Each structure stands twice: as C-alpha cells, then as structure tokens.
Amino acid sequence: MEPAKADITGLCQDMFSKMATYLTGKLTATSEDYKLLENMNKLTSLKCEYLEMKDIAVNISRNLKDLNQKSAALQPYLDQITLIEEQAAALEQAAYKLDA
C-alpha cells in the first residue's frame, strides 16, 4: 500500500526542512569553533608580545644598572678632570694678569 501523493509531498517538505535546520546548526557550530580558535590565537599572540616586552624591560633594567655602576666608577676621574679644568682656568687668568 503506497502513501498518497500529498502525504509523500508533505513528508518530503518536512524532511528538507529538518535537513536544512540540521545543516544550519552544523555550519553555525563550525563557524563558532573557528571564531573561538581565532580568539584563542589572538590572546596567545598578545601573551607572547607581553612576554617579549617583559624580557626587553628586564634587559633594559640590567643594562641601566651596569651603566650606573660604570658611571660611579668613572666619577673620581670626572672629578679630577673638573679640578684640572678649574686649575687651568686659574692659570689662564694668572697668565692674562702677567701679560697686563
């Protein structure tokens, strides 16, 4: 016994409607998965950038400490240069006075 043609048409329409709903759900889920992966990749890249910036800041801090130590080591010599410069200026003034 075959179903009536109207029944077959209704069943086909119902099947296509349900298949469309199923496929839409599958595609939506796949799309959401890709969006999640994209967001995870963005966050990971930002985290890596922060780690790189942290490493750069640590290196800058270390170099600054080294420069401060070297500057402190050079300070006695800089003081001597300043004293010699002052003495040379005093000698220059004395020479001008002798010329006069």
Side-chain angles (χ1 to χ4, degrees), residues 13-24:
Q13 288 175 347
D14 186 45
M15 180 194 68
F16 283 121
S17 172
K18 289 180 179 177
M19 185 63 87
T21 302
Y22 170 77
L23 290 175
T24 301

Side-chain angles (χ1 to χ4, degrees), residues 41-57:
N41 283 337
K42 286 179 183 177
L43 289 174
T44 302
S45 70
L46 289 175
K47 187 174 182 180
C48 290
E49 289 175 12
Y50 286 133
L51 291 175
E52 289 174 8
M53 288 177 15
K54 177 188 169 204
D55 291 341
I56 291 170

